Amino acid sequence: MSSSSSAVEQAVATTVKLASGDGFAFIVDKAVAEQSPTIKNMLDVTRGGAFTEALTNQISFPEIKGKVLEKVCQYLIYKYRYAAEGSTERVPEFKFDLELSLELLMAADYLDC
Amino acid sequence: TPQLDPQTQFEKIAQAIGEIYKHNASQLSFEELYRTAYGLVLSKNGPMLYNGVRTVLETHLRDCVEHDITSHATKASADPTIANNETFLASVRLLWSEHVTAMLMIKDVLMYVDNVYVKAAQLAPIYEMGMCAFRDTVLFAPSGSGLSTPIAKAFLRQISAERGGEDVDRSTLQGISNMLVELHDTASQARTVYEVTLEPQLIAESKTHYQAVAAVRIKTLGAPEYVLAAQADFDSEMGRVDAYLVPSTAKLLLSALQDELVGAYASGILNIADAGLTQMLDQRNISALCVLYNLYSPLPQPLGVLRSGITKHILALGSQITAALSSSESGEAKGATSAPEKAAATLGVAAKTTLALRWVQDILALYDIYDEFLLKSFGEGASM
Protein backbone atom coordinates (compact mmCIF):
# COMPACT_ATOMS: atom_id res chain seq x y z
CA MET A 1 0.00 0.00 0.00
CA SER A 2 2.69 2.46 1.01
CA SER A 3 4.69 1.93 -2.17
CA SER A 4 1.71 2.65 -4.41
CA SER A 5 0.78 5.84 -2.53
CA SER A 6 4.31 7.18 -2.84
CA ALA A 7 4.17 6.32 -6.54
CA VAL A 8 0.94 8.31 -6.67
CA GLU A 9 2.70 11.17 -4.93
CA GLN A 10 5.48 11.04 -7.44
CA ALA A 11 3.03 11.01 -10.34
CA VAL A 12 1.19 14.02 -8.92
CA ALA A 13 4.35 16.09 -8.70
CA THR A 14 5.17 15.70 -12.38
CA THR A 15 1.62 16.05 -13.63
CA VAL A 16 -0.91 18.83 -13.55
CA LYS A 17 -4.71 18.80 -13.53
CA LEU A 18 -6.46 21.02 -16.07
CA ALA A 19 -10.13 21.57 -15.23
CA SER A 20 -12.77 22.89 -17.64
CA GLY A 21 -15.69 25.15 -16.83
CA ASP A 22 -18.27 22.39 -17.22
CA GLY A 23 -16.79 19.94 -14.77
CA PHE A 24 -14.28 17.94 -16.82
CA ALA A 25 -10.69 17.47 -15.72
CA PHE A 26 -7.64 16.22 -17.55
CA ILE A 27 -4.40 15.09 -16.00
CA VAL A 28 -1.33 15.58 -18.17
CA ASP A 29 2.41 15.59 -17.66
CA LYS A 30 3.82 18.96 -16.72
CA ALA A 31 6.24 18.90 -19.61
CA VAL A 32 3.32 18.48 -21.99
CA ALA A 33 1.23 21.21 -20.38
CA GLU A 34 4.14 23.63 -20.50
CA GLN A 35 4.01 23.58 -24.29
CA SER A 36 1.63 26.45 -23.65
CA PRO A 37 3.68 29.44 -22.46
CA THR A 38 0.69 30.70 -20.52
CA ILE A 39 0.39 27.48 -18.55
CA LYS A 40 4.14 27.42 -18.09
CA ASN A 41 4.02 30.83 -16.45
CA MET A 42 1.15 29.74 -14.24
CA LEU A 43 3.17 26.84 -12.90
CA ASP A 44 6.47 28.72 -12.56
CA VAL A 45 8.00 28.58 -9.09
CA THR A 46 11.47 29.82 -9.91
CA ARG A 47 10.91 33.53 -10.18
CA GLY A 48 10.59 34.40 -6.52
CA GLY A 49 6.86 34.01 -6.09
CA ALA A 50 4.40 31.29 -6.96
CA PHE A 51 0.69 31.55 -7.53
CA THR A 52 -2.00 29.19 -6.27
CA GLU A 53 -1.90 27.09 -9.42
CA ALA A 54 1.78 26.35 -9.05
CA LEU A 55 1.37 25.28 -5.44
CA THR A 56 -1.64 23.04 -6.00
CA ASN A 57 -0.70 21.79 -9.46
CA GLN A 58 -4.25 22.47 -10.63
CA ILE A 59 -5.49 25.00 -13.13
CA SER A 60 -9.16 25.80 -13.65
CA PHE A 61 -10.33 27.32 -16.91
CA PRO A 62 -13.91 28.43 -16.17
CA GLU A 63 -14.31 29.88 -19.67
CA ILE A 64 -13.18 26.81 -21.60
CA LYS A 65 -15.54 23.91 -22.23
CA GLY A 66 -14.62 20.29 -21.66
CA LYS A 67 -14.57 19.19 -25.29
CA VAL A 68 -12.42 22.19 -26.23
CA LEU A 69 -10.02 21.58 -23.36
CA GLU A 70 -9.79 17.93 -24.38
CA LYS A 71 -8.72 18.96 -27.87
CA VAL A 72 -6.24 21.41 -26.39
CA CYS A 73 -4.68 18.62 -24.32
CA GLN A 74 -4.44 16.47 -27.42
CA TYR A 75 -2.74 19.33 -29.22
CA LEU A 76 -0.27 19.85 -26.36
CA ILE A 77 0.70 16.18 -26.53
CA TYR A 78 0.98 16.43 -30.31
CA LYS A 79 3.21 19.51 -30.01
CA TYR A 80 5.32 17.91 -27.29
CA ARG A 81 5.73 14.79 -29.43
CA TYR A 82 6.74 16.50 -32.65
CA ALA A 83 8.09 19.94 -31.78
CA ALA A 84 11.57 18.84 -30.72
CA GLU A 85 12.15 16.62 -33.74
CA GLY A 86 13.28 19.27 -36.17
CA SER A 87 11.90 18.50 -39.62
CA THR A 88 13.34 15.08 -40.17
CA GLU A 89 10.22 13.16 -39.23
CA ARG A 90 7.06 13.45 -41.24
CA VAL A 91 4.58 15.17 -38.94
CA PRO A 92 1.00 13.90 -39.24
CA GLU A 93 -1.83 16.38 -39.56
CA PHE A 94 -3.62 17.48 -36.41
CA LYS A 95 -7.31 16.80 -36.98
CA PHE A 96 -10.28 18.41 -35.29
CA ASP A 97 -13.99 18.95 -35.92
CA LEU A 98 -14.83 22.13 -37.77
CA GLU A 99 -17.59 22.94 -35.28
CA LEU A 100 -14.91 23.26 -32.66
CA SER A 101 -12.90 25.77 -34.71
CA LEU A 102 -13.92 29.06 -33.21
CA GLU A 103 -13.71 27.99 -29.59
CA LEU A 104 -10.47 26.18 -30.27
CA LEU A 105 -9.05 29.28 -31.92
CA MET A 106 -9.99 31.40 -28.95
CA ALA A 107 -8.49 28.90 -26.53
CA ALA A 108 -5.31 28.81 -28.60
CA ASP A 109 -5.11 32.59 -28.51
CA TYR A 110 -5.76 32.55 -24.78
CA LEU A 111 -3.11 29.94 -24.10
CA ASP A 112 -0.63 31.30 -26.64
CA CYS A 113 -0.05 27.98 -28.36
CA THR B 1 -21.69 34.92 -17.52
CA PRO B 2 -22.44 38.54 -16.63
CA GLN B 3 -19.51 40.81 -17.30
CA LEU B 4 -18.33 43.16 -14.62
CA ASP B 5 -17.64 46.70 -15.74
CA PRO B 6 -14.08 47.41 -16.82
CA GLN B 7 -13.25 49.58 -13.83
CA THR B 8 -14.17 46.84 -11.37
CA GLN B 9 -12.20 44.36 -13.40
CA PHE B 10 -9.21 46.64 -13.36
CA GLU B 11 -9.51 46.94 -9.58
CA LYS B 12 -8.98 43.20 -9.34
CA ILE B 13 -5.66 43.59 -11.08
CA ALA B 14 -4.67 46.67 -9.12
CA GLN B 15 -5.34 44.86 -5.88
CA ALA B 16 -3.47 41.79 -7.06
CA ILE B 17 -0.40 43.91 -7.76
CA GLY B 18 -0.47 45.09 -4.17
CA GLU B 19 -0.70 41.51 -2.96
CA ILE B 20 2.19 40.47 -5.18
CA TYR B 21 4.42 43.14 -3.62
CA LYS B 22 3.43 41.81 -0.21
CA HIS B 23 4.61 38.32 -1.19
CA ASN B 24 1.05 37.01 -1.17
CA ALA B 25 1.00 35.60 -4.68
CA SER B 26 0.26 32.16 -3.29
CA GLN B 27 -3.21 33.44 -2.38
CA LEU B 28 -3.90 34.56 -5.93
CA SER B 29 -5.18 32.66 -8.92
CA PHE B 30 -2.99 33.35 -11.92
CA GLU B 31 -5.69 32.14 -14.28
CA GLU B 32 -8.28 34.55 -12.95
CA LEU B 33 -5.97 37.55 -13.27
CA TYR B 34 -4.76 36.48 -16.67
CA ARG B 35 -8.35 36.07 -17.82
CA THR B 36 -9.30 39.48 -16.45
CA ALA B 37 -6.47 41.17 -18.36
CA TYR B 38 -7.41 39.14 -21.44
CA GLY B 39 -11.00 40.33 -21.16
CA LEU B 40 -9.97 43.96 -20.79
CA VAL B 41 -7.76 43.83 -23.87
CA LEU B 42 -10.46 42.17 -25.96
CA SER B 43 -13.05 44.72 -24.85
CA LYS B 44 -10.76 47.51 -26.09
CA ASN B 45 -9.75 48.60 -22.61
CA GLY B 46 -6.03 48.02 -23.21
CA PRO B 47 -5.05 51.69 -22.76
CA MET B 48 -6.97 51.97 -19.49
CA LEU B 49 -5.32 48.80 -18.21
CA TYR B 50 -1.79 49.74 -19.27
CA ASN B 51 -1.93 53.26 -17.90
CA GLY B 52 -3.74 52.06 -14.80
CA VAL B 53 -1.04 49.51 -14.06
CA ARG B 54 1.66 52.12 -14.47
CA THR B 55 -0.13 54.43 -12.03
CA VAL B 56 -0.45 51.62 -9.49
CA LEU B 57 3.28 50.89 -9.76
CA GLU B 58 4.27 54.53 -9.44
CA THR B 59 2.05 55.08 -6.42
CA HIS B 60 3.38 51.95 -4.74
CA LEU B 61 7.01 52.94 -5.32
CA ARG B 62 6.42 56.47 -4.09
CA ASP B 63 4.85 55.13 -0.90
CA CYS B 64 7.75 52.77 -0.32
CA VAL B 65 10.28 55.54 -0.76
CA GLU B 66 8.41 57.71 1.71
CA HIS B 67 8.00 55.01 4.34
CA ASP B 68 11.18 53.02 4.02
CA ILE B 69 13.88 55.11 2.43
CA THR B 70 13.53 58.85 2.97
CA SER B 71 14.46 58.74 6.66
CA HIS B 72 17.65 56.83 5.88
CA ALA B 73 18.47 59.21 3.06
CA THR B 74 18.15 62.21 5.34
CA LYS B 75 20.32 60.61 8.00
CA ALA B 76 23.00 59.64 5.51
CA SER B 77 23.00 63.14 4.11
CA ALA B 78 23.23 64.84 7.49
CA ASP B 79 25.75 62.47 9.04
CA PRO B 80 27.56 60.50 6.34
CA THR B 81 29.09 57.75 8.43
CA ILE B 82 29.85 54.41 6.82
CA ALA B 83 26.95 52.82 8.71
CA ASN B 84 24.41 55.46 7.69
CA ASN B 85 25.44 55.29 4.05
CA GLU B 86 25.22 51.54 4.22
CA THR B 87 21.72 51.54 5.70
CA PHE B 88 20.51 54.02 3.11
CA LEU B 89 22.00 52.18 0.13
CA ALA B 90 20.78 48.85 1.46
CA SER B 91 17.23 50.17 1.71
CA VAL B 92 17.32 51.32 -1.91
CA ARG B 93 18.72 48.02 -2.99
CA LEU B 94 16.03 46.12 -1.14
CA LEU B 95 13.26 48.12 -2.80
CA TRP B 96 14.88 47.47 -6.16
CA SER B 97 15.14 43.71 -5.79
CA GLU B 98 11.57 43.43 -4.47
CA HIS B 99 10.42 45.51 -7.42
CA VAL B 100 12.22 43.25 -9.89
CA THR B 101 10.68 40.13 -8.33
CA ALA B 102 7.21 41.65 -8.44
CA MET B 103 7.64 42.85 -12.02
CA LEU B 104 8.59 39.37 -13.19
CA MET B 105 5.32 38.06 -11.83
CA ILE B 106 3.27 40.98 -13.07
CA LYS B 107 4.69 40.69 -16.55
CA ASP B 108 3.74 36.99 -16.65
CA VAL B 109 0.19 37.67 -15.50
CA LEU B 110 -0.15 40.42 -18.09
CA MET B 111 1.50 38.42 -20.88
CA TYR B 112 -1.61 38.66 -23.03
CA VAL B 113 -1.37 42.45 -22.80
CA ASP B 114 2.26 42.30 -23.97
CA ASN B 115 1.55 39.95 -26.84
CA VAL B 116 -1.55 41.64 -28.17
CA TYR B 117 -2.04 45.22 -26.99
CA VAL B 118 1.53 46.43 -26.45
CA LYS B 119 2.71 45.17 -29.81
CA ALA B 120 -0.13 46.88 -31.64
CA ALA B 121 0.16 50.15 -29.74
CA GLN B 122 3.99 50.10 -29.99
CA LEU B 123 4.47 50.79 -26.32
CA ALA B 124 7.14 49.54 -23.95
CA PRO B 125 6.49 45.99 -22.73
CA ILE B 126 5.15 45.67 -19.20
CA TYR B 127 8.50 44.76 -17.63
CA GLU B 128 10.28 47.67 -19.27
CA MET B 129 7.47 49.97 -18.28
CA GLY B 130 8.00 48.83 -14.70
CA MET B 131 11.71 49.60 -14.93
CA CYS B 132 11.01 53.10 -16.25
CA ALA B 133 8.48 53.60 -13.45
CA PHE B 134 11.20 52.79 -10.92
CA ARG B 135 13.68 55.10 -12.59
CA ASP B 136 11.26 58.00 -12.91
CA THR B 137 9.69 57.66 -9.47
CA VAL B 138 12.57 56.62 -7.23
CA LEU B 139 15.66 58.01 -8.92
CA PHE B 140 14.46 61.05 -10.81
CA ALA B 141 11.19 62.22 -9.29
CA PRO B 142 9.84 65.37 -10.97
CA SER B 143 9.25 66.94 -7.57
CA GLY B 144 13.01 67.02 -7.11
CA SER B 145 13.01 64.39 -4.40
CA GLY B 146 14.73 61.92 -6.67
CA LEU B 147 17.33 59.74 -4.97
CA SER B 148 19.85 59.58 -7.80
CA THR B 149 22.13 62.26 -6.35
CA PRO B 150 22.03 61.08 -2.70
CA ILE B 151 22.74 57.54 -3.90
CA ALA B 152 25.76 58.65 -5.92
CA LYS B 153 27.03 60.72 -2.98
CA ALA B 154 26.69 57.86 -0.51
CA PHE B 155 28.29 55.45 -2.96
CA LEU B 156 31.31 57.67 -3.52
CA ARG B 157 31.67 58.28 0.21
CA GLN B 158 31.87 54.54 0.77
CA ILE B 159 34.60 54.27 -1.86
CA SER B 160 36.47 57.13 -0.23
CA ALA B 161 36.26 55.40 3.14
CA GLU B 162 37.49 52.15 1.65
CA ARG B 163 40.44 53.91 0.04
CA GLY B 164 41.23 55.24 3.48
CA GLY B 165 41.47 51.68 4.74
CA GLU B 166 38.01 51.20 6.24
CA ASP B 167 35.75 48.19 5.66
CA VAL B 168 32.56 48.71 3.71
CA ASP B 169 29.84 46.31 2.62
CA ARG B 170 30.79 45.53 -0.97
CA SER B 171 27.74 43.43 -1.79
CA THR B 172 25.37 46.34 -1.19
CA LEU B 173 27.49 48.50 -3.49
CA GLN B 174 27.42 45.76 -6.09
CA GLY B 175 23.64 45.60 -5.83
CA ILE B 176 23.42 49.34 -6.43
CA SER B 177 25.73 49.16 -9.45
CA ASN B 178 23.69 46.33 -10.92
CA MET B 179 20.54 48.35 -10.42
CA LEU B 180 21.98 51.42 -12.15
CA VAL B 181 23.20 49.31 -15.05
CA GLU B 182 19.77 47.77 -15.62
CA LEU B 183 18.08 51.14 -15.94
CA HIS B 184 18.41 53.10 -19.13
CA ASP B 185 18.89 56.80 -19.50
CA THR B 186 15.75 58.69 -20.52
CA ALA B 187 17.51 60.83 -23.07
CA SER B 188 19.70 58.26 -24.83
CA GLN B 189 18.25 54.76 -24.55
CA ALA B 190 21.51 53.08 -25.38
CA ARG B 191 23.27 54.34 -22.26
CA THR B 192 22.59 53.20 -18.74
CA VAL B 193 21.90 55.38 -15.73
CA TYR B 194 25.21 54.10 -14.34
CA GLU B 195 27.12 55.44 -17.33
CA VAL B 196 25.43 58.79 -17.20
CA THR B 197 25.31 59.54 -13.47
CA LEU B 198 27.59 57.45 -11.28
CA GLU B 199 30.53 56.63 -13.54
CA PRO B 200 31.53 60.20 -14.48
CA GLN B 201 31.42 61.30 -10.85
CA LEU B 202 33.44 58.28 -9.83
CA ILE B 203 36.18 58.98 -12.36
CA ALA B 204 36.33 62.68 -11.49
CA GLU B 205 36.65 61.96 -7.79
CA SER B 206 39.28 59.29 -8.37
CA LYS B 207 41.37 61.74 -10.35
CA THR B 208 41.22 64.32 -7.57
CA HIS B 209 42.07 61.71 -4.96
CA TYR B 210 45.11 60.34 -6.74
CA GLN B 211 46.33 63.78 -7.72
CA ALA B 212 46.64 64.58 -4.03
CA VAL B 213 48.17 61.19 -3.19
CA ALA B 214 50.84 61.52 -5.87
CA ALA B 215 51.74 65.05 -4.82
CA VAL B 216 52.53 63.83 -1.30
CA ARG B 217 54.36 60.70 -2.37
CA ILE B 218 56.68 62.39 -4.85
CA LYS B 219 58.03 64.51 -2.00
CA THR B 220 58.38 61.77 0.58
CA LEU B 221 59.25 58.53 -1.19
CA GLY B 222 62.17 57.22 -3.24
CA ALA B 223 61.51 55.94 -6.75
CA PRO B 224 61.29 52.23 -5.82
CA GLU B 225 58.78 52.90 -3.02
CA TYR B 226 56.80 55.26 -5.23
CA VAL B 227 56.38 52.77 -8.04
CA LEU B 228 55.54 49.94 -5.68
CA ALA B 229 52.88 52.06 -4.00
CA ALA B 230 51.51 53.07 -7.40
CA GLN B 231 51.33 49.44 -8.51
CA ALA B 232 49.51 48.55 -5.30
CA ASP B 233 46.97 51.26 -6.06
CA PHE B 234 46.45 49.96 -9.58
CA ASP B 235 45.81 46.48 -8.21
CA SER B 236 43.39 47.60 -5.53
CA GLU B 237 41.38 49.78 -7.92
CA MET B 238 41.06 46.94 -10.43
CA GLY B 239 39.97 44.74 -7.56
CA ARG B 240 37.35 47.31 -6.75
CA VAL B 241 36.04 47.24 -10.33
CA ASP B 242 35.72 43.45 -10.19
CA ALA B 243 34.04 43.49 -6.81
CA TYR B 244 31.34 46.09 -7.22
CA LEU B 245 31.71 48.24 -10.28
CA VAL B 246 30.99 47.61 -13.92
CA PRO B 247 33.67 46.26 -16.31
CA SER B 248 33.39 49.29 -18.58
CA THR B 249 34.71 51.42 -15.73
CA ALA B 250 38.03 49.54 -15.65
CA LYS B 251 39.45 51.23 -18.71
CA LEU B 252 38.43 54.71 -17.59
CA LEU B 253 39.72 54.23 -14.08
CA LEU B 254 43.01 52.78 -15.30
CA SER B 255 43.49 55.72 -17.59
CA ALA B 256 42.82 58.15 -14.73
CA LEU B 257 45.34 56.38 -12.48
CA GLN B 258 47.93 56.36 -15.24
CA ASP B 259 47.50 60.07 -15.79
CA GLU B 260 47.68 61.07 -12.15
CA LEU B 261 50.25 58.63 -10.75
CA VAL B 262 52.55 58.11 -13.71
CA GLY B 263 52.00 60.58 -16.53
CA ALA B 264 52.10 63.68 -14.37
CA TYR B 265 55.38 62.66 -12.73
CA ALA B 266 57.13 60.70 -15.47
CA SER B 267 60.41 62.59 -15.20
CA GLY B 268 59.84 63.53 -11.58
CA ILE B 269 59.97 59.93 -10.41
CA LEU B 270 63.16 59.20 -12.33
CA ASN B 271 64.86 62.30 -10.99
CA ILE B 272 64.17 61.85 -7.29
CA ALA B 273 67.35 62.94 -5.55
CA ASP B 274 69.48 60.01 -4.36
CA ALA B 275 66.64 57.61 -5.00
CA GLY B 276 65.89 57.90 -8.67
CA LEU B 277 66.56 55.99 -11.87
CA THR B 278 70.34 56.06 -11.73
CA GLN B 279 70.36 54.69 -8.20
CA MET B 280 67.98 51.90 -9.19
CA LEU B 281 70.23 50.99 -12.11
CA ASP B 282 73.45 51.13 -10.16
CA GLN B 283 72.01 49.16 -7.27
CA ARG B 284 70.60 46.69 -9.81
CA ASN B 285 67.17 46.88 -8.21
CA ILE B 286 65.67 44.50 -10.72
CA SER B 287 62.26 44.09 -9.14
CA ALA B 288 61.69 47.83 -8.73
CA LEU B 289 62.80 48.42 -12.31
CA CYS B 290 60.35 45.77 -13.41
CA VAL B 291 57.48 47.52 -11.64
CA LEU B 292 58.64 50.84 -13.07
CA TYR B 293 58.69 49.44 -16.57
CA ASN B 294 55.22 47.93 -16.21
CA LEU B 295 53.86 51.28 -15.14
CA TYR B 296 55.58 53.25 -17.88
CA SER B 297 55.36 50.96 -20.87
CA PRO B 298 51.67 51.45 -21.76
CA LEU B 299 52.22 55.20 -21.96
CA PRO B 300 54.26 56.43 -24.94
CA GLN B 301 55.52 59.69 -23.45
CA PRO B 302 56.72 58.36 -20.08
CA LEU B 303 58.26 55.37 -21.85
CA GLY B 304 60.27 57.75 -24.01
CA VAL B 305 61.41 59.61 -20.92
CA LEU B 306 62.49 56.34 -19.31
CA ARG B 307 64.33 55.19 -22.38
CA SER B 308 66.28 58.41 -22.77
CA GLY B 309 67.07 58.40 -19.04
CA ILE B 310 68.60 54.94 -19.29
CA THR B 311 70.42 55.75 -22.51
CA LYS B 312 71.96 58.80 -20.90
CA HIS B 313 73.12 56.76 -17.94
CA ILE B 314 74.66 54.03 -20.10
CA LEU B 315 76.53 56.65 -22.08
CA ALA B 316 77.73 58.24 -18.87
CA LEU B 317 78.97 54.89 -17.52
CA GLY B 318 80.63 54.10 -20.82
CA SER B 319 82.51 57.38 -20.83
CA GLN B 320 83.55 56.78 -17.23
CA ILE B 321 85.08 53.44 -18.17
CA THR B 322 86.92 54.95 -21.10
CA ALA B 323 88.10 57.89 -19.01
CA ALA B 324 89.25 55.66 -16.15
CA LEU B 325 91.23 53.45 -18.46
CA SER B 326 92.75 56.27 -20.47
CA SER B 327 93.84 57.96 -17.24
CA SER B 328 95.40 54.72 -16.02
CA GLU B 329 96.89 54.34 -19.48
CA SER B 330 98.51 57.70 -19.17
CA GLY B 331 99.55 56.66 -15.63
CA GLU B 332 101.17 53.52 -17.05
CA ALA B 333 102.82 55.52 -19.80
CA LYS B 334 104.24 57.89 -17.24
CA GLY B 335 105.71 54.93 -15.37
CA ALA B 336 107.17 53.65 -18.65
CA THR B 337 109.18 56.74 -19.42
CA SER B 338 111.50 55.95 -16.55
CA ALA B 339 112.34 52.49 -17.96
CA PRO B 340 114.66 51.80 -20.98
CA GLU B 341 113.05 52.71 -24.30
CA LYS B 342 112.67 49.20 -25.73
CA ALA B 343 111.18 47.89 -22.53
CA ALA B 344 109.02 50.96 -22.41
CA ALA B 345 107.77 50.36 -25.95
CA THR B 346 107.02 46.68 -25.20
CA LEU B 347 105.43 47.61 -21.91
CA GLY B 348 103.53 50.25 -23.70
CA VAL B 349 102.10 47.79 -26.26
CA ALA B 350 101.39 45.10 -23.68
CA ALA B 351 99.97 47.61 -21.30
CA LYS B 352 97.88 49.10 -24.07
CA THR B 353 96.55 45.66 -25.01
CA THR B 354 95.78 44.93 -21.39
CA LEU B 355 94.06 48.22 -21.10
CA ALA B 356 92.18 47.59 -24.28
CA LEU B 357 91.18 44.16 -23.04
CA ARG B 358 90.08 45.62 -19.75
CA TRP B 359 88.06 48.23 -21.57
CA VAL B 360 86.36 45.56 -23.62
CA GLN B 361 85.77 43.48 -20.51
CA ASP B 362 84.30 46.43 -18.64
CA ILE B 363 82.09 47.32 -21.51
CA LEU B 364 80.94 43.72 -21.85
CA ALA B 365 80.26 43.61 -18.12
CA LEU B 366 78.18 46.76 -18.47
CA TYR B 367 76.39 45.18 -21.39
CA ASP B 368 75.65 42.08 -19.33
CA ILE B 369 74.21 44.15 -16.53
CA TYR B 370 71.91 45.97 -18.87
CA ASP B 371 71.02 42.85 -20.75
CA GLU B 372 69.93 41.42 -17.43
CA PHE B 373 67.80 44.50 -16.89
CA LEU B 374 66.37 44.01 -20.33
CA LEU B 375 65.53 40.43 -19.58
CA LYS B 376 64.27 40.65 -16.06
CA SER B 377 62.98 44.17 -15.59
CA PHE B 378 61.88 45.20 -19.00
CA GLY B 379 60.43 41.91 -20.18
CA GLU B 380 62.61 42.06 -23.26
CA GLY B 381 60.53 44.98 -24.39
CA ALA B 382 61.59 45.65 -27.94
CA SER B 383 61.27 49.37 -27.45
CA MET B 384 64.00 49.32 -24.84
Side-chain angles (χ1 to χ4, degrees), chain B residues 4-152:
Chain B
L4 300 166
D5 69 289
Q7 195 52 44
T8 316
Q9 290 193 316
F10 172 74
E11 279 310 309
K12 257 199 219 166
I13 295 189
Q15 215 199 4
I17 292 178
E19 292 302 307
I20 288 175
Y21 272 111
K22 287 197 220 134
H23 304 269
N24 283 340
S26 56
Q27 313 286 336
L28 301 171
S29 162
F30 188 111
E31 198 277 334
E32 193 189 335
L33 297 167
Y34 183 85
R35 186 164 25 95
T36 310
Y38 167 84
L40 284 171
V41 171
L42 284 187
S43 58
K44 308 230 186 295
N45 285 304
M48 183 268 273
L49 173 59
Y50 188 86
N51 293 330
V53 166
R54 180 175 41 223
T55 309
V56 167
L57 295 174
E58 288 171 348
T59 310
H60 169 85
L61 290 169
R62 225 173 284 132
D63 286 342
C64 286
V65 169
E66 215 179 281
H67 291 145
D68 304 328
I69 300 184
T70 305
S71 60
H72 297 305
T74 321
K75 226 169 126 190
S77 188
D79 181 22
T81 62
I82 293 182
N84 285 347
N85 289 335
E86 166 60 32
T87 315
F88 167 52
L89 292 175
S91 70
V92 174
R93 196 239 183 135
L94 182 63
L95 179 64
W96 164 254
S97 69
E98 303 259 296
H99 179 65
V100 168
T101 306
M103 281 314 304
L104 287 172
M105 282 191 263
I106 294 168
K107 118 171 134 65
D108 281 347
V109 166
L110 299 179
M111 198 172 75
Y112 193 81
V113 181
D114 266 346
N115 290 343
V116 176
Y117 170 68
V118 161
K119 265 209 197 105
Q122 295 184 326
L123 295 167
I126 297 279
Y127 186 82
E128 203 186 302
M129 181 258 273
M131 294 299 110
C132 292
F134 186 92
R135 179 195 63 204
D136 298 332
T137 315
V138 177
L139 296 185
F140 300 110
S143 62
S145 62
L147 293 174
S148 167
T149 311
I151 290 173

Side-chain angles (χ1 to χ4, degrees), chain B residues 215-239:
Chain B
V216 170
R217 282 194 190 148
I218 199 73
K219 293 196 191 108
T220 55
L221 297 178
E225 292 79 33
Y226 183 98
V227 297
L228 282 172
Q231 184 64 53
D233 284 334
F234 275 68
D235 292 339
S236 96
E237 289 299 329
M238 288 303 111

Side-chain angles (χ1 to χ4, degrees), chain A residues 42 47 52-53 63 109-110, chain B residues 28-30 34 108 112:
Chain A
M42 290 193 196
R47 52 165 142 59
T52 319
E53 287 86 355
E63 306 255 306
D109 179 45
Y110 186 77
Chain B
L28 301 171
S29 162
F30 188 111
Y34 183 85
D108 281 347
Y112 193 81

